[in-house]
Amino acid sequence: MDWAPSISHSSTFHGFHTFYRFCNDKHSFAMNSDVAVIRGSTCVAASAKQPKQIPKGKSQANTVSRKRNTLLQHAVKQLGIAEGSNMYVSLLGAINDVQALKQVHAHMFRTGLDQTRYLVNKLVDMYCICGNMEIARLVFDSIPDRNSFLWNVMIKGYAINGPCDEVLLLCCQMQEEGLQPDKYTFPFLLKASASLIALQEGKQIHNRIIRYGLESDVFVGTALIDMYAKCGLMEFARHVFDKMPERNVVSWNALIAGYVQNGLANDALEVFDQMQLTDVNPNATTMVSILPACAQLEDLEQGRRIHDYVIENGFQEDVSVVNSLVAMYSNCGDVEGAQQLFDKMCNRTVVSWNALIAGYEHMGYAGEALMLFHQMQQAGMKPNWATMVSVLAACADLAALQQGKRMHGYVIRRGFEQDVSVGTALVDMYAKCGSVKIARILFDKIPERNIISWNSMIAGYGAHGYGKDALAIFSQMQQSGMEPSPITFVCILFACSQAGLVDEGRQYFEIMTRDYYITPSMEHYSCMVDLLGRAGHLDEAKEIIEKMPIQPNANMWGALLSACRIHCNIELGEQVSKRLLALEPKHDGYYVLASNIYAATRSWDDVARLRATMKEKGLRKTPGCSLIEVNNRIYTFFVGDQRHPQSEEIYGMLEMLDRQMKAAGYVPNTKYVLHDVEEEVKEDILSSHSEKLAIAFGLISTTPGIPIRITKNLRVCVDCHNATKFISKIVKREIIVRDGNRFHHFRDGFCTCGDYW
């Protein structure tokens, strides 16, 4: 271990300041990292590059040399480093900047100290620590008779900085030179295998560890736990953990983090409780690892219990712990609690901002998430790729295409576009904003797609009713070698449902179980019920519910009830609504759905009965709400809304459109108006639906010819759907409506859904 005397903070700062003056002095010996010169056995990482203007004359050269040496000596003195043979070791250990390191390296080369083995070892180590693996490798390759320490330094450097493939290659080369990996090598071999998700290589390394008798080493064992966890084999990770004779806090943390990473939050909490019964005390990293388990379960009570533990043990000053608490409260639905913690933070990092932005977006407060993003920029904090993923998701939630495009521009300027998570978020944003063609272009540009990228594109096509395109993407995914996940098949079945591809849906449900051994979940069965119900196969849909091996939930019965409404099957609808309302007695949407069935058949007594039940239970129908983005602002409209400053113009536009539509053959569809009133009153109710108000506002506020994009929180009603087809033909504009279920693209009097929704 290198030794340096204890020095005060102020003298350390002054010493580094002097040292960097030495490093950056225009007459000092500069390094060119682009050129590598290896002279015999001399260990040089880069060639000497003379300044453009070299002082002429011997006296000038001596002056430069004296100045350089004086600066170095002054820096050494201010840093409290004793001069002598260990001076460079201590000096190297004090550096955390590549440019400064190059300067010291150059000085060592000039003085001939680059021949000293222990100094060269330290030099390679410091290049690795500073993250410059290129120069570290050049120096390493120039050294003859490398020992195990030096090999381990390089292997560790690649394991931490990448590329991780080099770790495994170096290990093979090391053995070819007659050296065997030891207990210091294996943890980093396993770290590289974990980073690469190279399970087979990881298992081979494990076998070697067993043969060498190193399985009981706490560091090796912990690395094995981490490797198996990152490769998704938690049973193997737990087996290694249980066999360890000695476990430290890092071992426990690795197991907890592994369970959380693999979605096994309950197991993580159980291990955390077990840990507290041992003599190993949880640390701040433990808190950072366990809090996401509460977020996964959305278990606020458990999260508060761990928050109390944080306070009791003095971890509340740790920024990473507070960031995790902010994320936990956000994901558990307590955004106010998250905001309070955030407001109290003295030293917010980009992770702090990201946690709160992601929390607001996750809980459906997309507008607040975007406002927070702007506050983050005003505070001088630079967003990173993770910030942009959440911000793009917020734009997608609002269907705010204009703001999404601005964020896309920011992504390009910051160079985040090649990041797979950001690329996938862009695909998702454009698809959810109605621009599925742009989404596809961006999808094709993602250099290395992951399963989420494929799923996003499949879901995007499905939401727009382009079922055949979704199936084509799935085939392309299979050809690429990417293994579909259970969510992939949810997306596929949803796409088949929206496009009416019944036979294809049945086929892919069978492929999922037969070829990929995926056990159908509630979501898969719900998609099948929706697929069959929409197509009119009500009895088959009901049979699936009754025969499936898991207990049906409200969503599944809701899908069947919706199908009963579409096909006006009152008898089955009554049976389903009774079961549904028994499961979800306080869900207003299901009462409205049942009322629609009765209203369609003019069973007004039954409509009144359901309305009375809702009133008795204190339930109110969720009001229809439509959003439109104009000039980077989001405008919200409710049914009969007259709050907008331009209400007079909006209703004037609606009256004009109504006259033109009726002249073109439009007849209002009052079938589903849930009021036993005169037809004229029903027509008035329909004329002020929120989507019609938003469309009228779009027509008076935007340039003729550009598409109008509307987002509605509920399923678009039959009358509004029909009216929008007429409007699109009259005004010669494309109108894109994203309702609570899918997209509708209205052009020249037609909708892409083919009236199948």
Side-chain angles (χ1 to χ4, degrees), residues 316-331 335 337-360 369 372-373 375-376 379 381-384 386-387 390:
Q316 70 271 22
E317 299 301 322
D318 188 291
V319 175
S320 298
V321 173
V322 180
N323 289 342
S324 297
L325 282 167
V326 170
M328 181 276 294
Y329 277 108
S330 298
N331 285 297
V335 182
Q339 183 74 61
Q340 287 172 7
L341 276 171
F342 179 83
D343 290 341
K344 290 177 183 177
M345 293 180 73
C346 298
N347 300 309
R348 297 174 190 144
T349 65
V350 66
V351 179
S352 314
W353 288 93
N354 289 352
L356 194 58
I357 291 171
Y360 273 116
L372 196 61
F373 172 73
Q375 289 174 21
M376 176 184 184
M381 185 68 66
K382 279 192 175 181
N384 62 11
T387 320
S390 296

Side-chain angles (χ1 to χ4, degrees), residues 538-558:
L538 299 178
D539 291 335
E540 188 179 350
K542 183 186 176 188
E543 187 179 351
I544 284 181
I545 295 176
E546 292 173 342
K547 290 186 176 180
M548 67 185 204
I550 51 181
Q551 192 71 20
N553 64 6
N555 288 337
M556 196 168 295
W557 288 112

Side-chain angles (χ1 to χ4, degrees), residues 256-268:
I256 290 169
Y259 277 127
V260 173
Q261 289 159 13
N262 286 279
L264 302 169
N266 283 315
D267 293 297

Side-chain angles (χ1 to χ4, degrees), residues 24-51:
N24 297 314
D25 184 70
K26 67 179 181 179
H27 297 310
S28 66
F29 192 86
M31 300 282 295
N32 179 2
S33 61
D34 297 324
V35 182
V37 178
I38 312 298
R39 298 180 179 175
S41 62
T42 303
C43 308
V44 185
S47 68
K49 179 182 176 182
Q50 298 299 330

Side-chain angles (χ1 to χ4, degrees), residues 133 137 151-175 185-193 195-196 205:
M133 295 307 299
R137 186 58 181 267
W151 283 98
N152 286 339
V153 164
M154 280 304 297
I155 287 171
K156 175 184 174 183
Y158 278 123
I160 293 172
N161 301 302
C164 289
D165 306 72
E166 286 294 328
V167 173
L168 304 178
L169 293 172
L170 263 183
C171 184
C172 293
Q173 188 181 342
M174 172 184 176
Q175 291 174 87
T185 318
F186 284 118
F188 295 105
L189 295 178
L190 291 166
K191 181 178 176 64
S193 301
S195 298
L196 296 167
I205 294 166

Side-chain angles (χ1 to χ4, degrees), residues 92-257:
L92 287 168
I95 295 173
N96 58 5
D97 176 82
V98 173
Q99 290 305 118
L101 186 58
K102 288 178 183 178
Q103 298 292 340
V104 175
H105 186 182
H107 198 271
M108 286 170 56
F109 168 60
R110 188 179 61 80
T111 57
L113 287 171
D114 60 331
Q115 299 285 322
T116 308
R117 170 55 63 89
Y118 69 87
L119 282 179
V120 175
N121 287 354
K122 186 66 178 177
L123 188 65
V124 173
D125 188 29
M126 290 309 300
Y127 274 123
C128 291
I129 289 171
C130 291
N132 195 320
M133 295 307 299
E134 183 182 359
I135 297 182
R137 186 58 181 267
L138 287 169
V139 180
F140 174 81
D141 286 343
S142 72
I143 301 172
D145 303 323
R146 292 165 291 208
N147 57 21
S148 294
F149 172 81
L150 200 53
W151 283 98
N152 286 339
V153 164
M154 280 304 297
I155 287 171
K156 175 184 174 183
Y158 278 123
I160 293 172
N161 301 302
C164 289
D165 306 72
E166 286 294 328
V167 173
L168 304 178
L169 293 172
L170 263 183
C171 184
C172 293
Q173 188 181 342
M174 172 184 176
Q175 291 174 87
E176 287 171 3
E177 295 194 12
L179 294 171
Q180 296 301 317
D182 55 26
K183 66 178 183 180
Y184 302 106
T185 318
F186 284 118
F188 295 105
L189 295 178
L190 291 166
K191 181 178 176 64
S193 301
S195 298
L196 296 167
I197 318 295
L199 180 59
Q200 292 308 313
E201 288 80 357
K203 285 183 174 179
Q204 290 171 14
I205 294 166
H206 190 178
N207 289 334
R208 181 74 70 86
I209 287 167
I210 293 170
R211 288 205 304 272
Y212 285 14
L214 294 173
E215 199 174 18
S216 60
D217 183 88
V218 66
F219 299 105
V220 173
T222 300
L224 279 167
I225 293 168
D226 181 65
M227 184 274 294
Y228 280 122
K230 286 188 172 135
C231 291
L233 293 180
M234 281 311 300
E235 63 273 22
F236 282 58
R238 185 57 189 258
H239 178 72
V240 172
F241 179 83
D242 289 340
K243 287 183 67 178
M244 290 175 68
E246 177 192 354
R247 303 171 192 139
N248 59 18
V249 67
V250 184
S251 313
W252 286 93
N253 291 350
L255 188 64
I256 290 169

